[in-house]
Amino acid sequence: MPRTATAPNPLVVNISARHCHLTPEAVEALFGKGHQLTVHKWLYQEGQFAAKETITLIGPRSRVISNLRILGPCRNLNQIELAYTDSIALGFDIPLRASGDIKGTPGCMIMGPAGFFEMKDGVIRALRHVHMHPTDADFYGMKHGDNMKLKIGGDCGIILDKMLCRVDKSVKLEVHIDTDEGNACNLQPDTSVELTK
Amino acid sequence: MPRTATAPNPLVVNISARHCHLTPEAVEALFGKGHQLTVHKWLYQEGQFAAKETITLIGPRSRVISNLRILGPCRNLNQIELAYTDSIALGFDIPLRASGDIKGTPGCMIMGPAGFFEMKDGVIRALRHVHMHPTDADFYGMKHGDNMKLKIGGDCGIILDKMLCRVDKSVKLEVHIDTDEGNACNLQPDTSVELTK
């Protein structure tokens, strides 16, 4: 008899447009004392949201990106995630890093309605990654820190190599790619996607 | 004895930033009667050049792209090639097409120092493609219109699927990808590249 294997959870691939994560201190500097982020849209991962608040990023050549979305809730570090297309437009030379690994990365000035805030570091292109519950990691035979491939179909399909597995009990199976990756393959809601070793 | 096979020609992969091809009539409308394109930089293919002249593209929501480079020499059709990141920024919904296949595609207004020109159609995302001399096509076992894959290495490597082979006696082996594809994999001069079936 042919055998079948069924993944325990559906594979969701989402494109992360450029965005930032901020500390409570940065939010206060930008939006005023005691300010709390407000929910614009809930994201796929429990408790994560796109905030109504946006900021202006001022790059090294005084070029700006306006309406840069803040993702909530606040974190214990300030980090801006851009696609290379964004960073080239700004004149930034930014490194490819796993989210949170910002030591030695470039910083920038950011601006909100209540003031400026200087980030000493934290501007990166985020390494493509897949959030996995331990159940998913077991199914795919992966452990935290391993790399997988993501095969994306369609008329301009691509295979993304070296996609970092981030395994955590608190998450649902979800791939995050950036707008360069999503636009390279024209990812749409009905595009076929497959995780492979 | 182990056997070796050596490709007849080096593989060159170039990123095409957004650009346009124009007819002599369009160049005259935009730059004045009798105007000839001038060479800014010679390209890899014999006789092809980036012109000093640039135009302004006016999109469907009156958003613009300034300094859109013209590639010369003139052709017998007007065509603008954008990355999806560009088209999303402009508010265009553009199709993926092989260069030259512009029937039914959206048009736009373009502007130069001497006037406007209306393109009825011709705004596309160009299908990723590889220009091949028949010698290269023979080596890779391909014919005009076939598809290949391009494997690009590095920390954020990708494999580009469905890359169109364009075989012609007048060309040198060269892959053209757009800025979304090039930025998705951070293509650099020392990045490894490999054509495969």
Side-chain angles (χ1 to χ4, degrees):
Chain A
M1 292 286 286
R3 287 184 298 177
T4 62
T6 305
N9 294 301
L11 174 61
V12 173
V13 179
N14 276 316
I15 298 172
S16 296
R18 56 185 179 242
H19 64 270
C20 68
H21 302 283
L22 296 177
T23 61
E25 294 70 35
V27 169
E28 289 205 340
L30 296 161
F31 295 93
K33 192 151 176 58
H35 187 89
Q36 302 275 326
L37 294 177
T38 48
V39 176
H40 169 61
K41 195 182 145 197
W42 291 102
L43 301 178
Y44 185 65
Q45 298 295 339
E46 184 86 20
Q48 304 292 308
F49 61 90
K52 282 185 182 145
E53 292 83 354
T54 63
I55 59 169
T56 298
L57 183 168
I58 303 156
R61 296 151 125 189
S62 297
R63 295 183 193 159
V64 302
I65 286 182
S66 306
N67 304 317
L68 184 74
R69 187 69 58 186
I70 303 171
L71 299 193
C74 283
R75 296 194 178 180
N76 61 358
L77 93 179
N78 296 301
Q79 179 174 289
I80 292 177
E81 300 176 32
L82 303 177
Y84 280 135
T85 298
D86 300 323
S87 68
I88 291 166
L90 278 171
F92 258 118
D93 189 10
I94 62 169
L96 180 72
R97 291 288 182 94
S99 180
D101 174 21
I102 59 169
K103 197 178 166 189
T105 60
C108 67
M109 287 297 290
I110 51 180
M111 184 173 70
F116 289 87
F117 183 83
E118 185 181 358
M119 284 173 56
K120 299 286 187 191
D121 51 20
V123 185
I124 62 168
R125 179 195 198 182
L127 205 59
R128 56 184 73 140
H129 57 276
V130 51
H131 293 290
M132 300 183 127
H133 188 271
T135 313
D136 304 308
D138 285 348
F139 174 76
Y140 290 103
M142 292 289 138
K143 56 183 194 306
H144 187 73
D146 283 352
N147 282 312
M148 294 192 79
K149 296 186 205 301
L150 179 70
K151 186 171 184 173
I152 301 174
D155 291 342
C156 47
I158 60 178
I159 297 167
L160 296 168
D161 204 0
K162 297 186 187 166
M163 202 172 52
L164 183 66
C165 296
R166 305 193 73 140
V167 181
D168 192 291
K169 277 188 295 188
S170 69
V171 302
K172 294 189 283 187
L173 182 65
E174 183 188 24
V175 170
H176 282 156
I177 61 177
D178 73 7
T179 47
D180 286 341
E181 292 158 342
N183 290 333
C185 63
N186 195 23
L187 185 78
Q188 299 294 327
D190 61 349
T191 305
S192 70
V193 290
E194 185 188 355
L195 275 175
T196 64
K197 284 199 186 183
Chain B
M1 290 288 286
R3 287 185 298 177
T4 62
T6 305
N9 294 301
L11 174 60
V12 173
V13 179
N14 276 316
I15 298 172
S16 296
R18 56 187 179 239
H19 64 270
C20 68
H21 302 282
L22 297 177
T23 61
E25 295 69 34
V27 169
E28 289 205 338
L30 296 162
F31 295 93
K33 193 150 175 57
H35 187 89
Q36 302 275 325
L37 295 177
T38 48
V39 176
H40 169 60
K41 195 182 145 195
W42 291 102
L43 302 178
Y44 186 64
Q45 298 295 337
E46 184 85 20
Q48 303 291 308
F49 61 91
K52 282 186 180 143
E53 292 83 353
T54 62
I55 59 168
T56 298
L57 183 168
I58 303 156
R61 298 152 124 187
S62 297
R63 295 182 194 160
V64 301
I65 286 183
S66 307
N67 304 317
L68 184 74
R69 187 69 57 186
I70 304 171
L71 299 193
C74 283
R75 296 194 179 180
N76 62 359
L77 95 179
N78 296 301
Q79 179 173 288
I80 291 177
E81 300 177 33
L82 302 177
Y84 281 135
T85 298
D86 301 321
S87 69
I88 291 166
L90 278 171
F92 259 118
D93 189 8
I94 62 169
L96 181 72
R97 291 288 182 93
S99 180
D101 174 21
I102 59 170
K103 197 178 166 189
T105 61
C108 67
M109 286 298 289
I110 51 181
M111 184 172 71
F116 288 87
F117 184 84
E118 185 179 359
M119 285 174 54
K120 298 286 187 193
D121 50 20
V123 186
I124 63 168
R125 179 196 196 181
L127 206 57
R128 55 184 75 138
H129 57 276
V130 50
H131 293 290
M132 299 182 129
H133 188 271
T135 313
D136 305 308
D138 284 349
F139 174 78
Y140 290 103
M142 292 289 137
K143 56 183 196 303
H144 188 72
D146 283 351
N147 282 313
M148 294 192 79
K149 295 187 205 302
L150 178 71
K151 185 169 184 176
I152 301 174
D155 292 342
C156 47
I158 61 178
I159 297 165
L160 296 169
D161 204 1
K162 297 186 187 165
M163 201 171 52
L164 183 66
C165 296
R166 305 193 75 141
V167 182
D168 192 289
K169 279 188 293 187
S170 69
V171 302
K172 294 189 283 188
L173 183 64
E174 183 188 22
V175 169
H176 281 156
I177 62 177
D178 73 7
T179 47
D180 286 341
E181 292 159 342
N183 289 334
C185 63
N186 195 23
L187 186 78
Q188 300 295 327
D190 61 349
T191 305
S192 69
V193 290
E194 186 189 354
L195 275 175
T196 64
K197 286 200 182 178

